[in-house]
């Protein structure tokens, strides 16, 4: 039977529409509907790194080839003497670029607390971070994660932290680098306390990194003696968030995180208007580091689109 040109176009259009529908039906829903990007926090591999089974230089390629993750978050502990070593940093940057990996942030530990009450000690901590701000800039990172701890009452530490973060934030602003504080134990794991500090600092490049699992305020020999509600804490920190840390430990038989209801906590994150990066940080012991990372990624990709 002969068809007119109009009939032919109608048939072709219908066929194309059906093909598109078929493709959409079997397309990966996570790839289409995730409202955040996924990065890999290097701490997820801390056991292998401390055991010298891999190095910081190996991290970008491993993230991409083993886990299919193209954004990374470094931990300064694994290259702590290299902050000012341009040869080393150039090699690290090259490896990231060669693998199509984006350097996002550096988590800074061991350089002092920005909430120390002694002004000299606090200012030394601020200055210790300068080299990491510059290293982050060199590597193309947007952010450094710092600690706002100190010894004293919550009120005293808050006052000191506002000053310390303000000074570091001012320095970092000159290079376009963000300074973010993670709920990382002590006062900082109190969402109300840390959000209060952020309000007082009041700087565009100073913010938070809500960690879904770090809400232990006081520890004891048996574990956590006092904890802050993780969902409330996350909600309080989200207005200042420049990233979130998707912490996991153990999983049930369905692949859900046992400690944190990811549907509930991701809803808190989404309701805040956040559309940034969620960094996988697996710290469990029942699964291997590699399997734990993969399980966390699968959890984010499965739950994320449903929130």
């Amino acid at each position: 039977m002969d068809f007119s040109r109009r009939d032919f176009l109608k048939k072709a259009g219908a066929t194309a529409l059906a093909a598109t529908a078929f493709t959409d039906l079997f397309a990966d829903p996570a790839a289409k509907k995730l409202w955040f990007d996924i990065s890999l926090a290097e701490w997820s591999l801390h056991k292998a790194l401390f055991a010298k089974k891999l190095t910081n230089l190996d991290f970008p390629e491993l993230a991409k080839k083993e886990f299919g993750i193209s954004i990374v978050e470094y931990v300064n502990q694994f290259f702590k003497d290299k902050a000012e070593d341009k040869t080393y940093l150039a090699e690290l940057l090259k490896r990231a670029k060669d693998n199509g990996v984006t350097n996002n942030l550096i988590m800074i530990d061991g350089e002092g607390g920005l909430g120390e009450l002694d002004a000299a000690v606090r200012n030394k901590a601020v200055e210790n971070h300068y080299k990491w701000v510059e290293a982050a800039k060199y590597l193309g990172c947007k952010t450094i994660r710092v600690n706002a701890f100190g010894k004293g009452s919550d009120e005293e530490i808050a006052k000191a932290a506002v000053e310390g973060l303000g000074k570091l934030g001012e320095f970092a602003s000159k290079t376009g680098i963000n300074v973010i504080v993670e709920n990382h134990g002590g006062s900082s794991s109190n969402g109300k306390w840390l959000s209060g500090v952020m309000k007082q600092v009041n700087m565009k490049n100073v913010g938070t990194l809500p960690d879904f699992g770090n809400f232990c305020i006081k520890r004891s020999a048996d574990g956590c003696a006092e904890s802050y509600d993780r969902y409330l804490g996350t909600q309080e920190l989200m207005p200042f968030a420049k990233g979130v840390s998707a912490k996991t430990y153990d999983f049930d038989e369905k692949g859900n995180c046992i400690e944190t209801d990811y549907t509930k906590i991701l809803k808190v994150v989404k309701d805040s208007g956040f559309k940034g990066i969620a960094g996988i940080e697996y710290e469990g012991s029942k699964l291997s580091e590699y399997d734990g990372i993969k399980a966390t990624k699968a959890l984010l990709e499965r739950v994320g689109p449903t929130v």
Side-chain angles (χ1 to χ4, degrees):
M1 173 181 274
D2 292 331
F3 290 98
S4 68
R5 182 172 181 275
R6 180 177 296 177
D7 289 335
F8 174 79
L9 290 174
K10 287 174 65 177
K11 291 282 187 179
T15 301
L17 185 62
T20 300
F22 181 84
T23 301
D24 288 345
L25 180 64
F26 290 96
D28 179 4
K32 294 185 63 179
K33 298 180 182 179
L34 271 185
W35 41 272
F36 55 86
D37 293 318
I38 295 176
S39 65
L40 178 60
E42 192 172 21
W43 190 252
S44 298
L45 297 159
H46 69 275
K47 294 174 185 176
L49 285 154
F50 283 131
K52 307 298 183 184
K53 294 180 180 178
L54 60 103
T55 72
N56 185 63
L57 289 173
D58 300 325
F59 179 49
E61 181 177 4
L62 183 68
K64 184 64 173 286
K65 294 186 176 179
E66 181 69 27
F67 307 111
I69 297 173
S70 300
I71 306 173
V72 295
E73 304 176 4
Y74 298 100
V75 176
N76 75 326
Q77 294 183 53
F78 302 119
F79 60 122
K80 59 185 177 182
D81 59 340
K82 304 295 186 182
E84 299 173 293
D85 186 337
K86 290 297 176 61
T87 300
Y88 179 91
L89 295 178
E91 177 62 22
L92 182 58
L93 181 58
K94 180 180 183 299
R95 295 196 185 195
K97 288 182 175 179
D98 286 349
N99 288 281
V101 169
T102 299
N103 295 329
N104 182 47
L105 70 81
I106 307 175
M107 297 186 178
I108 314 301
D109 297 306
E111 297 291 3
L114 298 173
E116 292 286 2
L117 272 56
D118 186 303
V121 175
R122 183 175 64 250
N123 288 334
K124 177 61 176 173
V126 171
E127 293 171 3
N128 287 345
H129 285 80
Y130 288 172
K131 61 182 178 291
W132 290 109
V133 170
E134 292 167 348
K137 180 68 174 179
Y138 185 91
L139 290 170
C141 295
K142 294 181 179 179
T143 305
I144 63 168
R145 188 276 281 148
V146 303
N147 294 297
F149 63 78
K151 295 179 181 178
S153 67
D154 284 351
E155 293 77 14
E156 291 171 327
I157 298 171
K159 183 178 179 181
V162 169
E163 184 174 333
L165 287 167
K167 285 185 176 180
L168 181 56
E170 184 178 352
F171 176 86
S173 68
K174 299 172 184 176
T175 59
I177 296 296
N178 296 315
V179 175
I180 60 175
V181 182
E182 179 183 352
N183 45 307
H184 210 197
S187 302
S188 72
S189 287
N190 181 314
K192 184 177 181 180
W193 181 91
L194 186 51
S195 62
V197 168
M198 288 298 116
K199 290 174 185 176
Q200 292 181 70
V201 174
N202 193 29
M203 295 179 68
K204 289 184 178 181
N205 71 315
V206 177
T208 60
L209 178 68
D211 183 302
F212 299 163
N214 280 0
F215 284 101
C216 182
I217 299 172
K218 292 182 181 178
R219 293 194 175 277
S220 66
D222 298 324
C224 185
E226 180 184 349
S227 61
Y228 197 82
D229 184 278
R230 70 189 63 201
Y231 308 102
L232 174 61
T234 299
Q235 183 180 42
E236 292 169 331
L237 297 179
M238 284 311 301
F240 314 97
K242 297 185 183 299
V244 296
S245 184
K247 176 70 62 61
T248 55
Y249 292 95
D250 294 322
F251 297 84
D252 63 20
E253 66 280 358
K254 295 182 179 179
N256 293 312
C257 178
I258 293 174
E259 297 79 19
T260 303
D261 181 336
Y262 261 68
T263 298
K264 184 175 180 178
I265 207 155
L266 286 180
K267 186 177 188 305
V268 170
V269 174
K270 187 176 184 181
D271 286 350
S272 75
F274 180 83
K275 294 181 180 179
I277 298 172
I280 291 172
E281 193 171 56
Y282 171 69
E283 283 195 27
S285 56
K286 293 183 179 179
L287 294 178
S288 69
E289 289 185 319
Y290 282 36
D291 287 343
I293 291 168
K294 292 174 181 177
T296 307
K297 183 170 183 273
L299 175 63
L300 287 171
E301 291 176 336
R302 175 169 55 82
V303 175
T306 69
V307 174

